[in-house]
Every structure is written in structure tokens, then in C-alpha cells.
Amino acid sequence: EVQLVESGGGLVQPGGSLRLSCASFEFSASSHWMHWVRQAPGKGLEWVARINPDFEGSVTDYADSVRGRFVISRDTAKNTLYLQLSSLRADDTAVYYCSGNTFGGPRDYWGQGTLVSVSS
Amino acid sequence: QSVLTQPPSVSGNPGQRVTISCSGTDSNIGRDFVCWYQQLPGAAPKLLIYRDNQRSSGVPDRFSGSHSGTSASLAISGLRSEDEAEYYCVVWDASLRGYVFGTGTKVTVL
């Protein structure tokens, strides 16, 4: 059974950093487009970033709201996706979901989400 | 704020048909395929429709999608209590070079 399991969320002060991880089981994170999507408390979904399959070279895209502060990456050997969050602000507080093979085909996969809270 | 506009809420009686609209622009819906997601409280989004009108595996045929110009729609026929959820459209935006979600629509079964 395919599983994406996020971890690394928590409480961080404004201006701080955090690294989120998304471990993939029975699904190759290196062979598919992988994404991070977030949802602030009581708000809608917001796409954050994506990274292309390994065999296509390294292509990443970011939402305007996080470009220059967040970095998406992948460890092929560990079959794990990452999101490095820096210069965090209060409006970055959200549940962060990782997802794979998203937006393009008949089947995609999502993790359960990890909560990031930015507060002093 | 999102560049894709959805009605905040729609409602209907069991068995009725409801439609959710998603309005965009030439840089997003006007040039690419739309997906639709259902999200239950506390859960991750679930893919319903991809490529405008293709149902994801296991999605009942009560759910259908359409696309015309810079707008897309999701229709739910034979409304059931388990359809109560938040629904989102999403599409690639060529100008922003990123995916954009709609504002979300809460479906209530009366």
C-alpha cells in the first residue's frame, strides 16, 4: 500500500527555520512530480512547491509567497521528499501536505499532513 | 487571495443535483486542464476529477466535470449526505508559473 508520511512540523519562532520530510513507501518519489501543498487553519488549500522526476533533471517551482524562503528537494536513496522552510512568518502557519503524481493523472497520493506553527 | 473564484457554498436536498463553478483567466483555466478535489474535515484532499472531466479511480459517476473557456464546473447528481465536504478546483497558471487552487466551496446536504 502506498503511503506518504510527513514529519518535522512543530512550533517555531518568526524568522526561524524548519525542515519537513515526507517518507514514501511503495511509491517512488524520484519517478514522479512531487508537491507540497499547505492549508492554514480554517482556510483553503495553497500550492507551495513542486519538483520534477529525477530522470528529467532538476526542475523546481514555487509559489510567489514562498519563493526565496523555501526549498524543495529529494533524497532518491531514502525515497524521501523535503521542504526546507526559512525566514518563517506567522502566515506560514499551516498544515503542510506532501503529494505525489498530483494534478496530472488518474491517481495521486497524499500524506496525512504535518502542522507548522509560527509564533513567538 | 486565489485567482480562481468559486462560490463559498452550495446546498441541496438528497437526490438533487448541484453545480460548483470555478472562474479563472486566460493564463490558467483558459489554457490548461482542471482538477477537482474533495476535502472532508481533518483529512487530506481526495482527487475526484482530472483533465477537466475524467473521474479518478473509484469516484462514482454522480460526479462530473466540464470546462468551457476560462471557467470549469463540477456537478454532483443524486446528492448524498456523504457528499458534504469542501470542494476545490486547481489548475496550472502559466503567468504565475505555479498551481492555483480555487477559493473552495462548502457543499451542504439539507
Side-chain angles (χ1 to χ4, degrees), chain A residues 60-104:
Chain A
T60 57
D61 291 296
Y62 298 91
D64 286 346
S65 58
V66 307
R67 189 176 293 117
R69 300 187 299 123
F70 291 8
V71 177
I72 187 172
S73 64
R74 175 171 47 208
D75 186 324
T76 300
K78 294 183 178 179
N79 204 20
T80 298
L81 179 74
Y82 300 101
L83 186 68
Q84 179 69 44
L85 290 67
S86 304
S87 302
L88 283 162
R89 312 184 302 225
D91 62 358
D92 294 317
T93 293
V95 172
Y96 285 73
Y97 295 100
C98 73
S99 66
N101 201 39
T102 325
F103 307 134

mmCIF file of all heavy atoms in Angstrom, chain A residues 60-104:
data_model
loop_
_atom_site.group_PDB
_atom_site.id
_atom_site.type_symbol
_atom_site.label_atom_id
_atom_site.label_comp_id
_atom_site.label_asym_id
_atom_site.label_seq_id
_atom_site.Cartn_x
_atom_site.Cartn_y
_atom_site.Cartn_z
ATOM 1 N N THR A 60 12.450 22.838 -10.310
ATOM 2 C CA THR A 60 11.617 23.162 -9.164
ATOM 3 C C THR A 60 10.822 24.430 -9.449
ATOM 4 O O THR A 60 11.280 25.310 -10.191
ATOM 5 C CB THR A 60 12.457 23.372 -7.892
ATOM 6 O OG1 THR A 60 13.415 24.404 -8.129
ATOM 7 C CG2 THR A 60 13.187 22.101 -7.488
ATOM 8 N N ASP A 61 9.642 24.501 -8.897
ATOM 9 C CA ASP A 61 8.811 25.687 -8.996
ATOM 10 C C ASP A 61 8.230 26.003 -7.624
ATOM 11 O O ASP A 61 7.987 25.079 -6.835
ATOM 12 C CB ASP A 61 7.662 25.486 -9.992
ATOM 13 C CG ASP A 61 8.152 25.386 -11.424
ATOM 14 O OD1 ASP A 61 8.710 26.375 -11.929
ATOM 15 O OD2 ASP A 61 7.973 24.316 -12.031
ATOM 16 N N TYR A 62 7.971 27.286 -7.405
ATOM 17 C CA TYR A 62 7.492 27.734 -6.094
ATOM 18 C C TYR A 62 6.366 28.751 -6.242
ATOM 19 O O TYR A 62 6.318 29.511 -7.209
ATOM 20 C CB TYR A 62 8.632 28.391 -5.306
ATOM 21 C CG TYR A 62 9.780 27.469 -5.005
ATOM 22 C CD1 TYR A 62 10.858 27.361 -5.875
ATOM 23 C CD2 TYR A 62 9.784 26.699 -3.846
ATOM 24 C CE1 TYR A 62 11.907 26.496 -5.609
ATOM 25 C CE2 TYR A 62 10.831 25.839 -3.566
ATOM 26 C CZ TYR A 62 11.888 25.746 -4.450
ATOM 27 O OH TYR A 62 12.926 24.886 -4.171
ATOM 28 N N ALA A 63 5.501 28.758 -5.245
ATOM 29 C CA ALA A 63 4.501 29.816 -5.160
ATOM 30 C C ALA A 63 5.211 31.126 -4.833
ATOM 31 O O ALA A 63 6.251 31.133 -4.151
ATOM 32 C CB ALA A 63 3.483 29.491 -4.071
ATOM 33 N N ASP A 64 4.658 32.215 -5.323
ATOM 34 C CA ASP A 64 5.252 33.528 -5.063
ATOM 35 C C ASP A 64 5.432 33.785 -3.574
ATOM 36 O O ASP A 64 6.403 34.421 -3.155
ATOM 37 C CB ASP A 64 4.367 34.632 -5.652
ATOM 38 C CG ASP A 64 4.462 34.708 -7.176
ATOM 39 O OD1 ASP A 64 5.396 34.100 -7.751
ATOM 40 O OD2 ASP A 64 3.610 35.374 -7.781
ATOM 41 N N SER A 65 4.496 33.284 -2.776
ATOM 42 C CA SER A 65 4.502 33.562 -1.337
ATOM 43 C C SER A 65 5.675 32.920 -0.598
ATOM 44 O O SER A 65 5.994 33.318 0.526
ATOM 45 C CB SER A 65 3.182 33.094 -0.713
ATOM 46 O OG SER A 65 2.991 31.713 -0.945
ATOM 47 N N VAL A 66 6.324 31.921 -1.229
ATOM 48 C CA VAL A 66 7.415 31.214 -0.529
ATOM 49 C C VAL A 66 8.733 31.254 -1.298
ATOM 50 O O VAL A 66 9.770 30.851 -0.763
ATOM 51 C CB VAL A 66 7.046 29.741 -0.246
ATOM 52 C CG1 VAL A 66 5.705 29.651 0.473
ATOM 53 C CG2 VAL A 66 7.024 28.910 -1.521
ATOM 54 N N ARG A 67 8.694 31.733 -2.541
ATOM 55 C CA ARG A 67 9.915 31.726 -3.363
ATOM 56 C C ARG A 67 11.004 32.535 -2.670
ATOM 57 O O ARG A 67 10.776 33.637 -2.197
ATOM 58 C CB ARG A 67 9.614 32.290 -4.745
ATOM 59 C CG ARG A 67 10.769 32.125 -5.729
ATOM 60 C CD ARG A 67 10.387 32.607 -7.120
ATOM 61 N NE ARG A 67 9.357 31.754 -7.710
ATOM 62 C CZ ARG A 67 8.142 32.176 -8.030
ATOM 63 N NH1 ARG A 67 7.797 33.432 -7.796
ATOM 64 N NH2 ARG A 67 7.264 31.352 -8.576
ATOM 65 N N GLY A 68 12.199 31.950 -2.618
ATOM 66 C CA GLY A 68 13.330 32.603 -1.958
ATOM 67 C C GLY A 68 13.443 32.265 -0.483
ATOM 68 O O GLY A 68 14.466 32.563 0.148
ATOM 69 N N ARG A 69 12.391 31.680 0.074
ATOM 70 C CA ARG A 69 12.437 31.316 1.505
ATOM 71 C C ARG A 69 12.361 29.803 1.715
ATOM 72 O O ARG A 69 12.902 29.277 2.684
ATOM 73 C CB ARG A 69 11.274 31.978 2.253
ATOM 74 C CG ARG A 69 11.257 33.489 2.193
ATOM 75 C CD ARG A 69 10.188 34.075 3.102
ATOM 76 N NE ARG A 69 8.838 33.643 2.737
ATOM 77 C CZ ARG A 69 8.001 33.011 3.564
ATOM 78 N NH1 ARG A 69 8.381 32.721 4.795
ATOM 79 N NH2 ARG A 69 6.793 32.663 3.151
ATOM 80 N N PHE A 70 11.664 29.097 0.828
ATOM 81 C CA PHE A 70 11.500 27.644 0.945
ATOM 82 C C PHE A 70 12.280 26.961 -0.173
ATOM 83 O O PHE A 70 12.412 27.503 -1.275
ATOM 84 C CB PHE A 70 10.030 27.253 0.806
ATOM 85 C CG PHE A 70 9.140 27.682 1.951
ATOM 86 C CD1 PHE A 70 9.594 28.524 2.972
ATOM 87 C CD2 PHE A 70 7.821 27.253 2.000
ATOM 88 C CE1 PHE A 70 8.769 28.916 4.007
ATOM 89 C CE2 PHE A 70 6.981 27.636 3.029
ATOM 90 C CZ PHE A 70 7.457 28.468 4.023
ATOM 91 N N VAL A 71 12.777 25.757 0.126
ATOM 92 C CA VAL A 71 13.488 24.967 -0.880
ATOM 93 C C VAL A 71 12.969 23.532 -0.843
ATOM 94 O O VAL A 71 12.984 22.889 0.217
ATOM 95 C CB VAL A 71 15.014 24.965 -0.647
ATOM 96 C CG1 VAL A 71 15.701 24.061 -1.674
ATOM 97 C CG2 VAL A 71 15.568 26.383 -0.736
ATOM 98 N N ILE A 72 12.527 23.039 -1.995
ATOM 99 C CA ILE A 72 12.084 21.655 -2.114
ATOM 100 C C ILE A 72 13.242 20.825 -2.647
ATOM 101 O O ILE A 72 13.991 21.270 -3.520
ATOM 102 C CB ILE A 72 10.836 21.544 -3.031
ATOM 103 C CG1 ILE A 72 10.270 20.128 -3.028
ATOM 104 C CG2 ILE A 72 11.154 22.012 -4.454
ATOM 105 C CD1 ILE A 72 8.925 20.000 -3.773
ATOM 106 N N SER A 73 13.402 19.620 -2.097
ATOM 107 C CA SER A 73 14.480 18.744 -2.551
ATOM 108 C C SER A 73 14.078 17.296 -2.309
ATOM 109 O O SER A 73 13.033 17.013 -1.721
ATOM 110 C CB SER A 73 15.789 19.070 -1.823
ATOM 111 O OG SER A 73 15.654 18.817 -0.427
ATOM 112 N N ARG A 74 14.930 16.415 -2.757
ATOM 113 C CA ARG A 74 14.601 14.982 -2.668
ATOM 114 C C ARG A 74 15.885 14.190 -2.460
ATOM 115 O O ARG A 74 16.925 14.535 -3.017
ATOM 116 C CB ARG A 74 13.906 14.579 -3.963
ATOM 117 C CG ARG A 74 13.580 13.122 -4.120
ATOM 118 C CD ARG A 74 12.705 12.927 -5.361
ATOM 119 N NE ARG A 74 13.209 13.631 -6.513
ATOM 120 C CZ ARG A 74 12.437 14.080 -7.501
ATOM 121 N NH1 ARG A 74 11.131 13.924 -7.450
ATOM 122 N NH2 ARG A 74 12.973 14.702 -8.522
ATOM 123 N N ASP A 75 15.798 13.139 -1.662
ATOM 124 C CA ASP A 75 16.880 12.172 -1.492
ATOM 125 C C ASP A 75 16.408 10.870 -2.115
ATOM 126 O O ASP A 75 15.553 10.174 -1.549
ATOM 127 C CB ASP A 75 17.200 11.981 -0.008
ATOM 128 C CG ASP A 75 18.421 11.088 0.225
ATOM 129 O OD1 ASP A 75 18.607 10.117 -0.551
ATOM 130 O OD2 ASP A 75 19.172 11.349 1.175
ATOM 131 N N THR A 76 16.949 10.568 -3.281
ATOM 132 C CA THR A 76 16.497 9.390 -4.020
ATOM 133 C C THR A 76 16.781 8.105 -3.251
ATOM 134 O O THR A 76 15.942 7.199 -3.207
ATOM 135 C CB THR A 76 17.185 9.341 -5.393
ATOM 136 O OG1 THR A 76 16.837 10.522 -6.124
ATOM 137 C CG2 THR A 76 16.749 8.126 -6.173
ATOM 138 N N ALA A 77 17.947 8.025 -2.633
ATOM 139 C CA ALA A 77 18.326 6.810 -1.906
ATOM 140 C C ALA A 77 17.373 6.535 -0.742
ATOM 141 O O ALA A 77 17.057 5.391 -0.439
ATOM 142 C CB ALA A 77 19.758 6.930 -1.411
ATOM 143 N N LYS A 78 16.908 7.605 -0.111
ATOM 144 C CA LYS A 78 15.999 7.441 1.029
ATOM 145 C C LYS A 78 14.534 7.503 0.607
ATOM 146 O O LYS A 78 13.642 7.361 1.447
ATOM 147 C CB LYS A 78 16.270 8.524 2.071
ATOM 148 C CG LYS A 78 17.641 8.418 2.725
ATOM 149 C CD LYS A 78 17.818 9.489 3.796
ATOM 150 C CE LYS A 78 19.168 9.354 4.493
ATOM 151 N NZ LYS A 78 19.372 10.395 5.537
ATOM 152 N N ASN A 79 14.292 7.738 -0.679
ATOM 153 C CA ASN A 79 12.910 7.857 -1.185
ATOM 154 C C ASN A 79 12.113 8.859 -0.346
ATOM 155 O O ASN A 79 10.982 8.579 0.073
ATOM 156 C CB ASN A 79 12.218 6.495 -1.204
ATOM 157 C CG ASN A 79 11.082 6.428 -2.209
ATOM 158 O OD1 ASN A 79 11.018 7.229 -3.154
ATOM 159 N ND2 ASN A 79 10.182 5.490 -2.020
ATOM 160 N N THR A 80 12.734 9.990 -0.109
ATOM 161 C CA THR A 80 12.164 10.992 0.787
ATOM 162 C C THR A 80 12.191 12.371 0.140
ATOM 163 O O THR A 80 13.180 12.755 -0.489
ATOM 164 C CB THR A 80 12.918 11.023 2.123
ATOM 165 O OG1 THR A 80 12.790 9.743 2.763
ATOM 166 C CG2 THR A 80 12.362 12.092 3.054
ATOM 167 N N LEU A 81 11.103 13.087 0.306
ATOM 168 C CA LEU A 81 10.964 14.463 -0.170
ATOM 169 C C LEU A 81 11.150 15.400 1.013
ATOM 170 O O LEU A 81 10.768 15.059 2.140
ATOM 171 C CB LEU A 81 9.570 14.650 -0.768
ATOM 172 C CG LEU A 81 9.191 16.026 -1.307
ATOM 173 C CD1 LEU A 81 9.913 16.279 -2.634
ATOM 174 C CD2 LEU A 81 7.675 16.117 -1.500
ATOM 175 N N TYR A 82 11.728 16.569 0.749
ATOM 176 C CA TYR A 82 11.945 17.534 1.816
ATOM 177 C C TYR A 82 11.403 18.907 1.438
ATOM 178 O O TYR A 82 11.243 19.230 0.262
ATOM 179 C CB TYR A 82 13.451 17.685 2.108
ATOM 180 C CG TYR A 82 14.124 16.416 2.543
ATOM 181 C CD1 TYR A 82 14.886 15.666 1.647
ATOM 182 C CD2 TYR A 82 14.002 15.960 3.848
ATOM 183 C CE1 TYR A 82 15.507 14.492 2.041
ATOM 184 C CE2 TYR A 82 14.619 14.779 4.253
ATOM 185 C CZ TYR A 82 15.363 14.052 3.340
ATOM 186 O OH TYR A 82 15.976 12.887 3.741
ATOM 187 N N LEU A 83 11.138 19.697 2.459
ATOM 188 C CA LEU A 83 10.851 21.114 2.262
ATOM 189 C C LEU A 83 11.579 21.864 3.371
ATOM 190 O O LEU A 83 11.259 21.695 4.552
ATOM 191 C CB LEU A 83 9.357 21.410 2.308
ATOM 192 C CG LEU A 83 8.981 22.850 1.965
ATOM 193 C CD1 LEU A 83 9.264 23.142 0.478
ATOM 194 C CD2 LEU A 83 7.503 23.126 2.272
ATOM 195 N N GLN A 84 12.569 22.640 2.968
ATOM 196 C CA GLN A 84 13.305 23.480 3.920
ATOM 197 C C GLN A 84 12.596 24.823 3.992
ATOM 198 O O GLN A 84 12.458 25.520 2.982
ATOM 199 C CB GLN A 84 14.750 23.660 3.459
ATOM 200 C CG GLN A 84 15.583 24.549 4.369
ATOM 201 C CD GLN A 84 15.870 23.908 5.720
ATOM 202 O OE1 GLN A 84 16.217 22.733 5.792
ATOM 203 N NE2 GLN A 84 15.737 24.689 6.790
ATOM 204 N N LEU A 85 12.158 25.177 5.201
ATOM 205 C CA LEU A 85 11.435 26.425 5.415
ATOM 206 C C LEU A 85 12.361 27.391 6.170
ATOM 207 O O LEU A 85 12.903 27.041 7.219
ATOM 208 C CB LEU A 85 10.178 26.195 6.258
ATOM 209 C CG LEU A 85 8.989 25.424 5.667
ATOM 210 C CD1 LEU A 85 9.316 23.968 5.407
ATOM 211 C CD2 LEU A 85 7.790 25.532 6.585
ATOM 212 N N SER A 86 12.524 28.586 5.633
ATOM 213 C CA SER A 86 13.371 29.599 6.275
ATOM 214 C C SER A 86 12.638 30.919 6.340
ATOM 215 O O SER A 86 11.624 31.113 5.665
ATOM 216 C CB SER A 86 14.676 29.766 5.485
ATOM 217 O OG SER A 86 15.360 28.549 5.343
ATOM 218 N N SER A 87 13.175 31.818 7.170
ATOM 219 C CA SER A 87 12.561 33.159 7.326
ATOM 220 C C SER A 87 11.066 33.041 7.535
ATOM 221 O O SER A 87 10.272 33.733 6.891
ATOM 222 C CB SER A 87 12.870 34.024 6.102
ATOM 223 O OG SER A 87 14.249 34.158 5.891
ATOM 224 N N LEU A 88 10.691 32.160 8.437
ATOM 225 C CA LEU A 88 9.273 31.862 8.631
ATOM 226 C C LEU A 88 8.510 33.044 9.199
ATOM 227 O O LEU A 88 9.017 33.819 10.011
ATOM 228 C CB LEU A 88 9.116 30.635 9.525
ATOM 229 C CG LEU A 88 9.382 29.314 8.801
ATOM 230 C CD1 LEU A 88 9.640 28.192 9.779
ATOM 231 C CD2 LEU A 88 8.214 28.975 7.890
ATOM 232 N N ARG A 89 7.274 33.164 8.745
ATOM 233 C CA ARG A 89 6.377 34.233 9.175
ATOM 234 C C ARG A 89 5.124 33.618 9.760
ATOM 235 O O ARG A 89 4.826 32.445 9.528
ATOM 236 C CB ARG A 89 6.012 35.121 7.979
ATOM 237 C CG ARG A 89 7.188 35.558 7.137
ATOM 238 C CD ARG A 89 6.816 36.500 6.045
ATOM 239 N NE ARG A 89 5.830 35.996 5.110
ATOM 240 C CZ ARG A 89 5.916 36.122 3.798
ATOM 241 N NH1 ARG A 89 6.991 36.725 3.268
ATOM 242 N NH2 ARG A 89 4.959 35.681 3.009
ATOM 243 N N ALA A 90 4.357 34.431 10.477
ATOM 244 C CA ALA A 90 3.119 33.942 11.088
ATOM 245 C C ALA A 90 2.170 33.370 10.041
ATOM 246 O O ALA A 90 1.469 32.375 10.285
ATOM 247 C CB ALA A 90 2.442 35.068 11.861
ATOM 248 N N ASP A 91 2.158 33.966 8.850
ATOM 249 C CA ASP A 91 1.218 33.478 7.825
ATOM 250 C C ASP A 91 1.706 32.215 7.131
ATOM 251 O O ASP A 91 1.051 31.726 6.208
ATOM 252 C CB ASP A 91 0.884 34.576 6.808
ATOM 253 C CG ASP A 91 2.077 35.065 6.019
ATOM 254 O OD1 ASP A 91 3.207 34.591 6.277
ATOM 255 O OD2 ASP A 91 1.893 35.948 5.154
ATOM 256 N N ASP A 92 2.826 31.665 7.558
ATOM 257 C CA ASP A 92 3.249 30.346 7.089
ATOM 258 C C ASP A 92 2.657 29.236 7.953
ATOM 259 O O ASP A 92 2.835 28.053 7.656
ATOM 260 C CB ASP A 92 4.776 30.220 7.108
ATOM 261 C CG ASP A 92 5.457 31.143 6.116
ATOM 262 O OD1 ASP A 92 4.953 31.239 4.969
ATOM 263 O OD2 ASP A 92 6.477 31.760 6.466
ATOM 264 N N THR A 93 1.975 29.611 9.030
ATOM 265 C CA THR A 93 1.330 28.626 9.891
ATOM 266 C C THR A 93 0.278 27.863 9.094
ATOM 267 O O THR A 93 -0.637 28.458 8.524
ATOM 268 C CB THR A 93 0.664 29.314 11.095
ATOM 269 O OG1 THR A 93 1.682 29.884 11.933
ATOM 270 C CG2 THR A 93 -0.169 28.321 11.909
ATOM 271 N N ALA A 94 0.436 26.536 9.053
ATOM 272 C CA ALA A 94 -0.453 25.719 8.232
ATOM 273 C C ALA A 94 -0.145 24.239 8.435
ATOM 274 O O ALA A 94 0.902 23.885 8.985
ATOM 275 C CB ALA A 94 -0.290 26.066 6.745
ATOM 276 N N VAL A 95 -1.056 23.423 7.983
ATOM 277 C CA VAL A 95 -0.773 22.002 7.803
ATOM 278 C C VAL A 95 -0.132 21.862 6.428
ATOM 279 O O VAL A 95 -0.664 22.368 5.438
ATOM 280 C CB VAL A 95 -2.051 21.149 7.884
ATOM 281 C CG1 VAL A 95 -1.752 19.705 7.503
ATOM 282 C CG2 VAL A 95 -2.645 21.230 9.286
ATOM 283 N N TYR A 96 1.008 21.199 6.385
ATOM 284 C CA TYR A 96 1.739 21.003 5.137
ATOM 285 C C TYR A 96 1.576 19.548 4.699
ATOM 286 O O TYR A 96 1.901 18.621 5.441
ATOM 287 C CB TYR A 96 3.217 21.342 5.321
ATOM 288 C CG TYR A 96 3.474 22.832 5.389
ATOM 289 C CD1 TYR A 96 3.127 23.565 6.519
ATOM 290 C CD2 TYR A 96 4.030 23.510 4.317
ATOM 291 C CE1 TYR A 96 3.333 24.927 6.587
ATOM 292 C CE2 TYR A 96 4.249 24.883 4.363
ATOM 293 C CZ TYR A 96 3.889 25.582 5.503
ATOM 294 O OH TYR A 96 4.101 26.948 5.563
ATOM 295 N N TYR A 97 1.055 19.383 3.474
ATOM 296 C CA TYR A 97 0.862 18.059 2.885
ATOM 297 C C TYR A 97 1.897 17.833 1.789
ATOM 298 O O TYR A 97 2.163 18.741 0.986
ATOM 299 C CB TYR A 97 -0.505 17.941 2.224
ATOM 300 C CG TYR A 97 -1.702 18.039 3.142
ATOM 301 C CD1 TYR A 97 -2.428 19.232 3.247
ATOM 302 C CD2 TYR A 97 -2.157 16.929 3.868
ATOM 303 C CE1 TYR A 97 -3.546 19.318 4.056
ATOM 304 C CE2 TYR A 97 -3.278 17.013 4.676
ATOM 305 C CZ TYR A 97 -3.965 18.204 4.763
ATOM 306 O OH TYR A 97 -5.079 18.287 5.560
ATOM 307 N N CYS A 98 2.451 16.632 1.719
ATOM 308 C CA CYS A 98 3.209 16.259 0.528
ATOM 309 C C CYS A 98 2.296 15.401 -0.341
ATOM 310 O O CYS A 98 1.390 14.719 0.164
ATOM 311 C CB CYS A 98 4.500 15.536 0.858
ATOM 312 S SG CYS A 98 4.322 13.844 1.435
ATOM 313 N N SER A 99 2.526 15.454 -1.630
ATOM 314 C CA SER A 99 1.712 14.661 -2.543
ATOM 315 C C SER A 99 2.544 14.253 -3.744
ATOM 316 O O SER A 99 3.514 14.924 -4.100
ATOM 317 C CB SER A 99 0.469 15.431 -2.990
ATOM 318 O OG SER A 99 0.831 16.552 -3.761
ATOM 319 N N GLY A 100 2.135 13.150 -4.365
ATOM 320 C CA GLY A 100 2.881 12.628 -5.496
ATOM 321 C C GLY A 100 1.987 12.327 -6.680
ATOM 322 O O GLY A 100 0.825 11.944 -6.503
ATOM 323 N N ASN A 101 2.545 12.535 -7.868
ATOM 324 C CA ASN A 101 1.817 12.284 -9.120
ATOM 325 C C ASN A 101 0.539 13.114 -9.179
ATOM 326 O O ASN A 101 -0.487 12.673 -9.685
ATOM 327 C CB ASN A 101 1.479 10.799 -9.234
ATOM 328 C CG ASN A 101 1.198 10.385 -10.661
ATOM 329 O OD1 ASN A 101 1.863 10.854 -11.586
ATOM 330 N ND2 ASN A 101 0.216 9.539 -10.850
ATOM 331 N N THR A 102 0.626 14.308 -8.680
ATOM 332 C CA THR A 102 -0.553 15.131 -8.446
ATOM 333 C C THR A 102 -0.893 16.003 -9.649
ATOM 334 O O THR A 102 -0.028 16.429 -10.390
ATOM 335 C CB THR A 102 -0.288 16.036 -7.221
ATOM 336 O OG1 THR A 102 0.520 15.328 -6.283
ATOM 337 C CG2 THR A 102 -1.556 16.488 -6.556
ATOM 338 N N PHE A 103 -2.172 16.265 -9.821
ATOM 339 C CA PHE A 103 -2.733 17.233 -10.769
ATOM 340 C C PHE A 103 -2.702 16.797 -12.222
ATOM 341 O O PHE A 103 -3.174 17.530 -13.089
ATOM 342 C CB PHE A 103 -2.023 18.597 -10.667
ATOM 343 C CG PHE A 103 -1.969 19.178 -9.283
ATOM 344 C CD1 PHE A 103 -0.789 19.711 -8.795
ATOM 345 C CD2 PHE A 103 -3.092 19.194 -8.471
ATOM 346 C CE1 PHE A 103 -0.730 20.247 -7.516
ATOM 347 C CE2 PHE A 103 -3.046 19.728 -7.190
ATOM 348 C CZ PHE A 103 -1.845 20.256 -6.709
ATOM 349 N N GLY A 104 -2.131 15.634 -12.527
ATOM 350 C CA GLY A 104 -1.991 15.314 -13.943
ATOM 351 C C GLY A 104 -2.697 14.063 -14.409
ATOM 352 O O GLY A 104 -3.075 13.959 -15.569
#
